[in-house]
Amino acid sequence: MEPDHNDIHEQFLTHFAANEPAIRAYVRRLVPTRHDAADVMQGVALVLWRKFDELDDTEHFRRWAFGVARHEALGWLRDKARSRLTLAEDVLHVVACESTRDDDRLSAQREALEGCLEKLPTHHRKIILAAYAPDAAIQEVAGQSGRTVAAFYQWLHRMRLRLLNCTRQVLQAEGLS
């Protein structure tokens, strides 16, 4: 008995939502800018949805999605080949292969960092995230934190070290360092 359309839709959304940040990070490593990655991700999402019923084993969704993403990025790069900012296809292939290989390590690091961020006081976490938001103006974030720009950079440096040490400890405790 075949699953109905709603079940397939739900399965796809579950897998896509769980893997979208990793797929986006993978695409981001293959194209020059975040804007380009957003363009490529639209195509990736469409192809993944259209071909989801062809996926034999949903356990391998991420690896399959990376393959689709690499294909879409190559197509995008071919379309933009006149731009000096695009990578040669053979270089892109190397980057894509290394990115796929590094995905587990990067996912573990990302999860550890997210856990370490959650351990921070809420106001510290909000300020750090504001400092790394797209188009963030450090002068404004420093002002929101009640610090001068110089003092904010020093504070941010201390917080980065704290997060780095926490992340390393988590990864080491999990045997992933």
Side-chain angles (χ1 to χ4, degrees), residues 22-74:
I23 298 165
R24 183 174 298 280
Y26 179 79
V27 168
R28 181 64 184 96
R29 290 188 294 265
L30 301 178
V31 298
T33 69
R34 280 185 169 77
H35 178 73
D36 299 334
D39 289 347
V40 172
M41 278 300 294
Q42 288 179 6
V44 170
L46 285 172
V47 171
L48 292 176
W49 169 242
R50 288 181 185 145
K51 295 188 176 214
F52 183 68
D53 61 341
E54 297 174 18
L55 179 62
D56 294 330
D57 185 359
T58 57
E59 293 283 321
H60 299 107
F61 182 88
R62 183 180 291 194
R63 185 167 302 279
W64 173 68
F66 281 6
V68 169
R70 180 169 59 195
H71 179 74
E72 289 294 304
L74 279 169

Side-chain angles (χ1 to χ4, degrees), residues 107-170:
S107 291
Q109 288 175 346
R110 195 170 21 256
E111 288 177 23
L113 177 59
E114 287 172 2
C116 291
L117 275 166
E118 288 296 319
K119 293 176 185 177
L120 294 176
T122 304
H123 64 283
H124 286 179
R125 184 173 51 249
K126 285 182 180 179
I127 293 169
I128 290 170
L129 293 175
Y132 288 99
D135 302 323
I138 291 297
Q139 294 81 1
E140 290 178 23
V141 178
Q144 292 169 0
S145 74
R147 295 173 179 87
T148 65
V149 172
F152 180 73
Y153 275 119
Q154 289 177 350
W155 176 84
L156 192 57
H157 177 71
R158 287 192 305 274
M159 296 307 295
R160 281 190 211 127
L161 289 176
R162 183 174 172 183
L163 289 169
L164 176 63
N165 289 332
C166 175
T167 301
R168 284 180 176 162
Q169 289 173 354
V170 169

